[in-house]
Amino acid sequence: MKKILILNVGSSSCKFQIFTKELKLLGKGLIDRIGITGTSFFYKDINNKQIKEKKDFEYKDFAEEFKRFINDNNICKFEEFYLMVHRVVMGSEVFPENIIVKDWKTIEKIEKLTPLAPLHQPYNVIALKEFFGKYKDTKHVVCFDTTFHSTIPEKNFIFTIPYQFYKDYKIRRYGAHGTSHQYITEKLSNFLNKKNVTFINLHLGNGASVCLVKDSKSYDTSMGLTPLGGLMMGTRSGDLDPSIVFYLINQKKLDPNDVENIFIKKSGLLGIYGKSSDMRDVISGEEKKEKRAILARELFIKRINDYIATYLNEVEKVDAITFTGGIGENDLDLIKRVFKNFHLKKIKIKQDKFDRNLDINLLSEKDSEIPIYIIKTNEELQMAKIAKILLKEL
Protein backbone atom coordinates (compact mmCIF):
# COMPACT_ATOMS: atom_id res chain seq x y z
CA MET A 1 0.00 0.00 0.00
CA LYS A 2 1.38 3.42 -0.97
CA LYS A 3 1.70 5.81 1.95
CA ILE A 4 2.47 9.47 2.66
CA LEU A 5 4.90 10.56 5.40
CA ILE A 6 4.49 14.06 6.81
CA LEU A 7 7.52 15.45 8.65
CA ASN A 8 7.17 18.54 10.84
CA VAL A 9 10.71 19.05 12.17
CA GLY A 10 11.63 21.46 14.96
CA SER A 11 14.86 22.40 16.70
CA SER A 12 14.88 19.25 18.86
CA SER A 13 11.78 17.31 17.84
CA CYS A 14 9.81 15.97 14.91
CA LYS A 15 6.04 15.52 14.75
CA PHE A 16 5.01 13.11 12.04
CA GLN A 17 1.87 11.61 10.58
CA ILE A 18 1.32 8.73 8.20
CA PHE A 19 -1.52 8.76 5.66
CA THR A 20 -2.70 6.43 2.95
CA LYS A 21 -2.57 7.77 -0.59
CA GLU A 22 -6.30 8.53 -0.14
CA LEU A 23 -5.48 10.75 2.89
CA LYS A 24 -6.79 8.35 5.51
CA LEU A 25 -4.80 8.84 8.71
CA LEU A 26 -2.97 5.71 9.82
CA GLY A 27 -1.16 7.11 12.83
CA LYS A 28 0.84 9.95 14.29
CA GLY A 29 3.94 10.28 16.39
CA LEU A 30 6.58 12.44 18.01
CA ILE A 31 10.33 12.11 18.25
CA ASP A 32 11.47 14.35 21.09
CA ARG A 33 14.81 15.59 22.45
CA ILE A 34 16.76 14.88 19.26
CA GLY A 35 20.44 15.52 19.91
CA ILE A 36 19.76 15.65 23.67
CA THR A 37 20.08 12.90 26.25
CA GLY A 38 16.79 11.06 26.61
CA THR A 39 15.69 11.04 22.97
CA SER A 40 12.25 9.43 22.86
CA PHE A 41 9.97 7.95 20.19
CA PHE A 42 6.20 7.84 20.47
CA TYR A 43 3.66 6.57 17.95
CA LYS A 44 -0.07 5.90 18.15
CA ASP A 45 -2.10 4.36 15.34
CA ILE A 46 -5.81 4.82 14.61
CA ASN A 47 -6.62 1.81 16.80
CA ASN A 48 -4.90 3.53 19.75
CA LYS A 49 -2.02 1.05 19.73
CA GLN A 50 0.95 2.90 21.23
CA ILE A 51 4.67 2.41 20.75
CA LYS A 52 7.25 4.05 23.01
CA GLU A 53 10.99 3.81 22.74
CA LYS A 54 14.14 5.62 23.85
CA LYS A 55 17.40 5.83 21.95
CA ASP A 56 19.74 8.82 21.84
CA PHE A 57 20.89 10.06 18.43
CA GLU A 58 21.95 13.23 16.59
CA TYR A 59 20.17 14.96 13.69
CA LYS A 60 22.78 13.62 11.26
CA ASP A 61 21.39 10.13 11.95
CA PHE A 62 17.76 11.21 11.85
CA ALA A 63 16.72 9.51 8.59
CA GLU A 64 18.43 6.25 9.49
CA GLU A 65 16.96 6.13 13.02
CA PHE A 66 13.50 7.06 11.77
CA LYS A 67 13.56 4.20 9.24
CA ARG A 68 14.76 1.79 11.94
CA PHE A 69 11.92 2.83 14.25
CA ILE A 70 9.30 2.37 11.52
CA ASN A 71 10.62 -1.02 10.40
CA ASP A 72 11.54 -2.51 13.80
CA ASN A 73 8.10 -1.78 15.21
CA ASN A 74 6.25 -3.05 12.13
CA ILE A 75 4.48 0.27 11.67
CA CYS A 76 4.79 -0.25 7.93
CA LYS A 77 7.44 -1.01 5.34
CA PHE A 78 9.51 2.11 4.81
CA GLU A 79 9.54 1.47 1.07
CA GLU A 80 5.77 2.11 1.04
CA PHE A 81 6.37 5.84 1.47
CA TYR A 82 6.01 7.08 -2.10
CA LEU A 83 5.75 10.67 -0.88
CA MET A 84 7.48 12.61 1.92
CA VAL A 85 6.25 16.09 2.76
CA HIS A 86 8.60 18.40 4.65
CA ARG A 87 7.61 21.47 6.61
CA VAL A 88 10.04 24.39 6.13
CA VAL A 89 9.50 27.74 7.83
CA MET A 90 10.97 30.24 5.38
CA GLY A 91 10.43 30.42 1.63
CA SER A 92 10.57 34.23 1.29
CA GLU A 93 10.21 35.59 -2.24
CA VAL A 94 12.60 32.92 -3.50
CA PHE A 95 9.84 30.34 -3.06
CA PRO A 96 6.44 32.09 -3.11
CA GLU A 97 4.79 28.70 -3.67
CA ASN A 98 5.18 25.22 -2.18
CA ILE A 99 7.49 23.06 -4.28
CA ILE A 100 8.44 19.57 -5.42
CA VAL A 101 12.15 19.09 -4.66
CA LYS A 102 13.98 17.63 -7.64
CA ASP A 103 17.63 18.56 -7.11
CA TRP A 104 20.25 19.66 -4.58
CA LYS A 105 20.32 23.25 -5.93
CA THR A 106 16.80 23.76 -4.64
CA ILE A 107 17.83 22.60 -1.16
CA GLU A 108 20.85 24.91 -1.26
CA LYS A 109 18.55 27.87 -1.99
CA ILE A 110 16.35 26.88 0.95
CA GLU A 111 19.41 26.63 3.20
CA LYS A 112 20.52 30.15 2.25
CA LEU A 113 17.30 31.47 3.81
CA THR A 114 18.32 30.19 7.27
CA PRO A 115 19.11 33.69 8.68
CA LEU A 116 15.42 34.55 8.20
CA ALA A 117 14.30 31.69 10.47
CA PRO A 118 17.30 30.79 12.64
CA LEU A 119 15.33 28.86 15.27
CA HIS A 120 13.86 26.20 12.97
CA GLN A 121 15.18 26.45 9.40
CA PRO A 122 18.56 24.78 10.10
CA TYR A 123 16.83 21.65 11.37
CA ASN A 124 14.22 21.71 8.60
CA VAL A 125 17.12 21.68 6.12
CA ILE A 126 19.11 18.96 7.92
CA ALA A 127 16.13 16.61 7.84
CA LEU A 128 15.34 17.47 4.21
CA LYS A 129 18.95 16.75 3.19
CA GLU A 130 18.97 13.45 5.06
CA PHE A 131 15.77 12.09 3.56
CA PHE A 132 16.31 13.49 0.06
CA GLY A 133 19.83 12.06 -0.03
CA LYS A 134 18.84 8.59 1.15
CA TYR A 135 15.49 8.18 -0.62
CA LYS A 136 15.82 9.57 -4.14
CA ASP A 137 13.09 7.32 -5.55
CA THR A 138 10.61 8.91 -3.16
CA LYS A 139 8.85 12.14 -4.14
CA HIS A 140 9.74 15.04 -1.83
CA VAL A 141 7.50 18.09 -1.37
CA VAL A 142 8.31 21.16 0.74
CA CYS A 143 5.51 23.18 2.35
CA PHE A 144 6.66 26.63 3.43
CA ASP A 145 5.09 28.45 6.38
CA THR A 146 5.25 31.63 4.29
CA THR A 147 3.36 30.47 1.18
CA PHE A 148 -0.17 31.27 2.40
CA HIS A 149 0.96 34.85 3.13
CA SER A 150 2.15 35.53 -0.42
CA THR A 151 -1.22 37.25 -1.09
CA ILE A 152 -0.62 40.00 1.49
CA PRO A 153 -0.75 43.43 -0.23
CA GLU A 154 2.37 45.59 -0.30
CA LYS A 155 0.96 48.12 2.16
CA ASN A 156 0.80 45.33 4.74
CA PHE A 157 4.12 43.62 4.04
CA ILE A 158 6.43 46.62 3.54
CA PHE A 159 8.38 48.09 6.49
CA THR A 160 8.82 51.82 7.00
CA ILE A 161 12.55 51.78 6.28
CA PRO A 162 14.16 52.92 2.99
CA TYR A 163 12.29 51.18 0.17
CA GLN A 164 15.60 50.23 -1.41
CA PHE A 165 16.14 47.66 1.34
CA TYR A 166 13.12 45.80 0.03
CA LYS A 167 14.27 46.14 -3.58
CA ASP A 168 17.86 45.08 -2.86
CA TYR A 169 17.54 42.64 0.04
CA LYS A 170 13.85 41.62 0.00
CA ILE A 171 13.36 42.85 3.56
CA ARG A 172 9.61 42.63 4.12
CA ARG A 173 6.95 40.88 6.19
CA TYR A 174 6.80 37.18 5.34
CA GLY A 175 4.77 35.77 8.23
CA ALA A 176 4.68 32.15 9.36
CA HIS A 177 2.23 29.43 10.48
CA GLY A 178 0.78 29.72 6.97
CA THR A 179 -0.13 26.04 6.74
CA SER A 180 -2.15 26.27 9.94
CA HIS A 181 -3.85 29.52 8.92
CA GLN A 182 -4.72 27.97 5.55
CA TYR A 183 -6.16 24.85 7.19
CA ILE A 184 -8.36 26.94 9.52
CA THR A 185 -9.51 29.05 6.57
CA GLU A 186 -10.72 25.98 4.67
CA LYS A 187 -12.24 24.48 7.81
CA LEU A 188 -14.20 27.64 8.64
CA SER A 189 -15.30 28.07 5.02
CA ASN A 190 -16.74 24.54 4.98
CA PHE A 191 -18.33 24.94 8.42
CA LEU A 192 -20.06 28.21 7.48
CA ASN A 193 -20.84 26.92 3.97
CA LYS A 194 -19.28 30.04 2.44
CA LYS A 195 -16.96 30.02 -0.57
CA ASN A 196 -14.91 32.91 0.86
CA VAL A 197 -14.54 33.89 4.50
CA THR A 198 -13.14 36.97 6.20
CA PHE A 199 -11.95 36.41 9.75
CA ILE A 200 -9.14 36.76 12.28
CA ASN A 201 -7.26 33.59 13.23
CA LEU A 202 -5.00 33.35 16.27
CA HIS A 203 -2.52 30.48 16.22
CA LEU A 204 -1.33 30.41 19.82
CA GLY A 205 1.39 28.05 20.98
CA ASN A 206 5.05 28.33 21.90
CA GLY A 207 5.18 30.24 18.63
CA ALA A 208 2.20 32.54 18.12
CA SER A 209 0.80 34.58 15.25
CA VAL A 210 -2.35 36.34 14.12
CA CYS A 211 -3.63 36.32 10.56
CA LEU A 212 -6.31 38.52 9.04
CA VAL A 213 -7.89 36.48 6.26
CA LYS A 214 -9.90 38.46 3.70
CA ASP A 215 -11.97 36.55 1.16
CA SER A 216 -10.11 33.34 2.13
CA LYS A 217 -6.68 34.88 1.41
CA SER A 218 -4.07 36.11 3.84
CA TYR A 219 -4.38 39.89 4.03
CA ASP A 220 -2.22 40.75 7.05
CA THR A 221 -0.24 38.83 9.64
CA SER A 222 1.70 39.57 12.80
CA MET A 223 5.06 37.84 12.25
CA GLY A 224 7.52 39.91 10.27
CA LEU A 225 10.73 39.39 8.31
CA THR A 226 11.31 36.43 10.61
CA PRO A 227 9.05 34.56 13.09
CA LEU A 228 10.37 36.84 15.85
CA GLY A 229 7.88 39.67 15.30
CA GLY A 230 4.28 40.10 16.38
CA LEU A 231 2.71 38.50 19.44
CA MET A 232 4.54 37.67 22.65
CA MET A 233 5.58 34.00 22.47
CA GLY A 234 7.14 31.28 24.60
CA THR A 235 10.73 32.49 24.25
CA ARG A 236 10.41 35.13 21.49
CA SER A 237 9.84 38.79 22.28
CA GLY A 238 7.41 39.67 19.52
CA ASP A 239 7.15 43.36 18.59
CA LEU A 240 9.46 45.78 20.39
CA ASP A 241 11.10 49.18 20.02
CA PRO A 242 14.06 48.57 17.63
CA SER A 243 16.18 51.06 19.54
CA ILE A 244 16.47 48.44 22.32
CA VAL A 245 18.81 46.53 20.01
CA PHE A 246 21.11 49.54 19.55
CA TYR A 247 21.00 50.38 23.24
CA LEU A 248 22.11 46.90 24.29
CA ILE A 249 24.87 46.82 21.67
CA ASN A 250 26.17 50.37 21.95
CA GLN A 251 25.55 51.26 25.59
CA LYS A 252 25.74 47.87 27.32
CA LYS A 253 28.37 46.46 24.92
CA LEU A 254 26.51 43.22 24.27
CA ASP A 255 27.51 41.20 21.24
CA PRO A 256 24.91 41.40 18.38
CA ASN A 257 24.64 37.59 18.33
CA ASP A 258 23.95 37.57 22.06
CA VAL A 259 21.22 40.18 21.63
CA GLU A 260 19.60 38.12 18.87
CA ASN A 261 19.78 35.04 21.09
CA ILE A 262 18.11 36.94 23.95
CA PHE A 263 15.19 38.06 21.77
CA ILE A 264 14.70 34.63 20.20
CA LYS A 265 15.38 32.21 23.07
CA LYS A 266 15.20 34.14 26.36
CA SER A 267 12.32 36.58 25.98
CA GLY A 268 8.52 36.26 25.78
CA LEU A 269 6.86 34.28 28.56
CA LEU A 270 10.25 32.98 29.72
CA GLY A 271 11.75 36.45 29.85
CA ILE A 272 8.91 37.95 31.89
CA TYR A 273 8.02 35.00 34.12
CA GLY A 274 11.63 33.90 34.48
CA LYS A 275 10.90 30.25 35.29
CA SER A 276 9.40 28.70 32.17
CA SER A 277 8.27 29.38 28.60
CA ASP A 278 5.32 26.99 28.95
CA MET A 279 1.95 28.69 29.41
CA ARG A 280 0.82 25.85 31.70
CA ASP A 281 3.63 26.76 34.11
CA VAL A 282 2.71 30.44 33.85
CA ILE A 283 -0.90 29.58 34.74
CA SER A 284 0.32 27.56 37.73
CA GLY A 285 2.42 30.53 38.83
CA GLU A 286 -0.52 32.88 38.44
CA GLU A 287 -2.66 30.61 40.60
CA LYS A 288 0.04 30.89 43.27
CA LYS A 289 -0.18 34.71 43.01
CA GLU A 290 3.36 35.03 41.61
CA LYS A 291 3.59 38.62 40.34
CA ARG A 292 5.71 37.92 37.29
CA ALA A 293 3.46 35.05 36.21
CA ILE A 294 0.45 37.37 36.49
CA LEU A 295 2.31 40.02 34.48
CA ALA A 296 3.36 37.53 31.79
CA ARG A 297 -0.20 36.37 31.25
CA GLU A 298 -1.53 39.95 31.21
CA LEU A 299 1.03 40.95 28.59
CA PHE A 300 0.24 37.90 26.45
CA ILE A 301 -3.47 38.81 26.50
CA LYS A 302 -2.80 42.50 25.84
CA ARG A 303 -0.81 41.76 22.68
CA ILE A 304 -3.69 39.60 21.43
CA ASN A 305 -6.18 42.39 22.12
CA ASP A 306 -4.02 44.93 20.31
CA TYR A 307 -3.82 42.85 17.13
CA ILE A 308 -7.51 41.95 17.09
CA ALA A 309 -8.41 45.64 17.38
CA THR A 310 -6.01 46.59 14.59
CA TYR A 311 -7.25 43.90 12.22
CA LEU A 312 -10.92 44.63 12.87
CA ASN A 313 -10.20 48.14 11.63
CA GLU A 314 -8.78 46.83 8.32
CA VAL A 315 -12.02 45.25 7.08
CA GLU A 316 -15.68 46.23 7.21
CA LYS A 317 -16.90 42.97 8.73
CA VAL A 318 -15.54 39.62 9.85
CA ASP A 319 -17.32 36.27 9.85
CA ALA A 320 -15.55 35.10 13.00
CA ILE A 321 -12.56 35.26 15.31
CA THR A 322 -10.93 31.85 15.72
CA PHE A 323 -8.39 30.36 18.10
CA THR A 324 -6.12 27.41 17.39
CA GLY A 325 -2.75 25.92 18.39
CA GLY A 326 -1.70 24.36 21.70
CA ILE A 327 -2.76 27.37 23.79
CA GLY A 328 -5.59 28.54 21.54
CA GLU A 329 -7.30 25.14 21.55
CA ASN A 330 -7.10 24.55 25.29
CA ASP A 331 -6.94 27.79 27.26
CA LEU A 332 -10.58 28.85 27.59
CA ASP A 333 -9.77 31.16 30.50
CA LEU A 334 -7.38 33.12 28.27
CA ILE A 335 -10.01 33.50 25.54
CA LYS A 336 -12.58 34.70 28.05
CA ARG A 337 -10.12 37.27 29.39
CA VAL A 338 -9.26 38.47 25.89
CA PHE A 339 -12.86 39.58 25.42
CA LYS A 340 -13.73 40.51 29.01
CA ASN A 341 -12.64 44.12 28.52
CA PHE A 342 -12.82 44.26 24.72
CA HIS A 343 -14.75 47.47 24.10
CA LEU A 344 -14.85 47.64 20.29
CA LYS A 345 -17.42 44.88 19.88
CA LYS A 346 -20.02 43.23 22.10
CA ILE A 347 -18.66 39.75 22.63
CA LYS A 348 -19.66 37.37 25.40
CA ILE A 349 -18.18 33.92 25.89
CA LYS A 350 -21.06 31.73 27.02
CA GLN A 351 -19.55 28.62 28.49
CA ASP A 352 -17.09 27.48 31.11
CA LYS A 353 -16.42 24.21 29.33
CA PHE A 354 -16.30 22.99 25.74
CA ASP A 355 -16.20 19.61 24.05
CA ARG A 356 -12.53 18.85 23.39
CA ASN A 357 -13.52 15.99 21.08
CA LEU A 358 -15.08 18.38 18.57
CA ASP A 359 -13.00 19.95 15.79
CA ILE A 360 -14.98 23.19 16.06
CA ASN A 361 -16.49 24.75 19.19
CA LEU A 362 -18.63 27.90 19.18
CA LEU A 363 -17.83 29.82 22.37
CA SER A 364 -19.82 33.04 22.02
CA GLU A 365 -23.43 33.88 22.88
CA LYS A 366 -25.95 34.33 20.05
CA ASP A 367 -26.15 38.09 20.59
CA SER A 368 -22.36 38.56 20.29
CA GLU A 369 -21.45 40.81 17.39
CA ILE A 370 -18.75 38.40 16.23
CA PRO A 371 -18.85 34.60 16.62
CA ILE A 372 -15.84 33.20 18.50
CA TYR A 373 -14.65 29.67 17.73
CA ILE A 374 -11.98 27.24 18.83
CA ILE A 375 -10.92 25.21 15.78
CA LYS A 376 -8.42 22.38 16.00
CA THR A 377 -5.63 22.81 13.50
CA ASN A 378 -4.09 19.96 11.51
CA GLU A 379 -1.00 21.22 9.70
CA GLU A 380 0.06 17.71 8.74
CA LEU A 381 -3.21 16.94 6.95
CA GLN A 382 -3.01 20.29 5.19
CA MET A 383 0.54 19.50 4.09
CA ALA A 384 -0.63 16.17 2.66
CA LYS A 385 -3.39 17.92 0.69
CA ILE A 386 -0.96 20.54 -0.61
CA ALA A 387 1.47 17.86 -1.76
CA LYS A 388 -1.20 15.86 -3.58
CA ILE A 389 -2.39 19.02 -5.35
CA LEU A 390 1.18 19.75 -6.45
CA LEU A 391 1.49 16.20 -7.77
CA LYS A 392 -1.91 16.63 -9.48
CA GLU A 393 -3.42 13.81 -7.44
CA LEU A 394 -6.29 15.96 -6.14
Side-chain angles (χ1 to χ4, degrees):
M1 181 192 298
K2 289 186 176 181
K3 295 181 175 64
I4 302 170
L5 174 62
I6 309 295
L7 293 162
N8 190 340
V9 176
S11 57
S12 63
S13 66
C14 174
K15 293 190 295 182
F16 66 94
Q17 291 191 19
I18 299 172
F19 292 90
T20 66
K21 191 175 181 180
E22 295 72 34
L23 297 183
K24 177 184 177 182
L25 179 66
L26 297 175
K28 59 179 68 176
L30 172 68
I31 307 173
D32 201 14
R33 296 178 64 84
I34 301 171
I36 306 171
T37 302
T39 306
S40 63
F41 294 79
F42 175 78
Y43 178 78
K44 182 169 74 172
D45 66 18
I46 54 173
N47 298 314
N48 286 322
K49 178 185 176 182
Q50 298 184 15
I51 300 169
K52 297 180 182 179
E53 183 183 302
K54 285 193 175 183
K55 183 184 178 184
D56 295 349
F57 67 91
E58 302 291 332
Y59 259 114
K60 63 182 179 64
D61 301 316
F62 180 64
E64 182 179 333
E65 287 296 331
F66 188 91
K67 180 179 180 180
R68 180 200 58 75
F69 176 72
I70 295 294
N71 286 340
D72 287 0
N73 290 287
N74 298 313
I75 293 171
C76 66
K77 294 179 180 178
F78 207 83
E79 293 71 24
E80 292 179 313
F81 292 128
Y82 83 101
L83 171 62
M84 295 184 187
V85 190
H86 307 260
R87 179 234 183 176
V88 174
V89 173
M90 180 56 63
S92 76
E93 290 190 345
V94 178
F95 299 103
E97 301 292 337
N98 302 304
I99 60 169
I100 302 170
V101 180
K102 296 181 179 179
D103 53 49
W104 285 101
K105 287 185 178 179
T106 301
I107 297 177
E108 289 172 3
K109 290 179 181 179
I110 294 172
E111 189 169 22
K112 288 180 179 178
L113 299 174
T114 293
L116 296 177
L119 197 61
H120 292 94
Q121 194 97 345
Y123 304 97
N124 299 159
V125 172
I126 289 172
L128 177 57
K129 282 181 174 180
E130 280 286 300
F131 283 98
F132 183 76
K134 292 185 187 309
Y135 306 105
K136 291 189 178 295
D137 293 334
T138 302
K139 294 171 183 174
H140 296 267
V141 167
V142 166
C143 293
F144 296 102
D145 274 9
T146 51
T147 298
F148 183 63
H149 302 302
S150 62
T151 56
I152 292 176
E154 187 177 41
K155 67 177 182 178
N156 287 340
F157 75 62
I158 207 76
F159 291 116
T160 51
I161 57 177
Y163 191 80
Q164 201 63 33
F165 285 108
Y166 168 59
K167 298 295 290 182
D168 293 344
Y169 309 122
K170 304 303 178 187
I171 295 176
R172 53 160 287 183
R173 183 182 306 280
Y174 289 110
H177 293 143
T179 308
S180 176
H181 291 304
Q182 183 179 6
Y183 177 83
I184 299 300
T185 299
E186 294 179 8
K187 196 80 174 177
L188 183 65
S189 177
N190 291 333
F191 181 77
L192 297 179
N193 196 26
K194 293 186 67 174
K195 181 178 179 181
N196 293 312
V197 287
T198 297
F199 71 108
I200 298 168
N201 185 49
L202 295 107
H203 179 109
L204 306 179
N206 189 52
S209 68
V210 194
C211 183
L212 171 59
V213 177
K214 184 178 180 182
D215 296 328
S216 291
K217 295 180 180 179
S218 179
Y219 188 75
D220 207 347
T221 193
S222 57
M223 285 180 168
L225 172 71
T226 76
L228 178 60
L231 294 175
M232 179 183 184
M233 300 175 232
T235 63
R236 283 170 272 183
S237 65
D239 293 338
L240 47 75
D241 180 346
S243 66
I244 297 172
V245 176
F246 314 128
Y247 181 81
L248 292 175
I249 293 172
N250 297 326
Q251 301 300 320
K252 297 304 177 183
K253 308 304 179 185
L254 295 187
D255 181 87
N257 292 328
D258 291 336
V259 174
E260 181 183 38
N261 189 59
I262 289 168
F263 292 158
I264 293 174
K265 297 182 179 180
K266 298 180 180 179
S267 298
L269 293 174
L270 176 62
I272 299 300
Y273 180 37
K275 294 182 179 181
S276 173
S277 63
D278 193 310
M279 181 61 85
R280 291 167 293 188
D281 295 331
V282 176
I283 292 171
S284 178
E286 184 182 46
E287 290 171 349
K288 296 173 184 175
K289 309 297 183 184
E290 295 179 20
K291 289 184 178 180
R292 286 174 59 177
I294 294 170
L295 177 61
R297 198 150 162 84
E298 286 178 344
L299 286 171
F300 194 85
I301 292 168
K302 181 187 183 315
R303 289 288 182 90
I304 291 170
N305 273 331
D306 291 346
Y307 267 98
I308 291 176
T310 297
Y311 287 172
L312 283 176
N313 193 51
E314 289 195 45
V315 290
E316 290 185 14
K317 183 181 179 182
V318 295
D319 295 303
I321 297 174
T322 57
F323 290 80
T324 193
I327 296 172
E329 294 172 22
N330 296 288
D331 196 341
L332 181 59
D333 175 67
L334 181 142
I335 296 173
K336 292 173 73 172
R337 287 165 65 175
V338 163
F339 296 110
K340 183 178 180 181
N341 297 308
F342 194 78
H343 305 300
L344 293 180
K345 296 287 183 179
K346 179 186 176 184
I347 296 172
K348 185 178 179 183
I349 305 301
K350 64 181 179 182
Q351 52 198 84
D352 294 322
K353 295 181 180 180
F354 62 97
D355 189 344
R356 296 180 186 274
N357 294 315
L358 295 177
D359 287 341
I360 300 179
N361 276 280
L362 175 64
L363 302 181
S364 52
E365 295 279 11
K366 288 184 178 180
D367 60 347
S368 290
E369 293 185 70
I370 302 172
I372 310 299
Y373 296 95
I374 287 176
I375 303 180
K376 290 182 180 179
T377 193
N378 192 333
E379 294 171 278
E380 288 78 16
L381 175 58
Q382 189 67 27
M383 288 165 63
K385 289 180 179 179
I386 289 168
K388 285 179 68 66
I389 290 171
L390 279 175
L391 296 174
K392 298 181 180 179
E393 293 180 359
L394 280 182

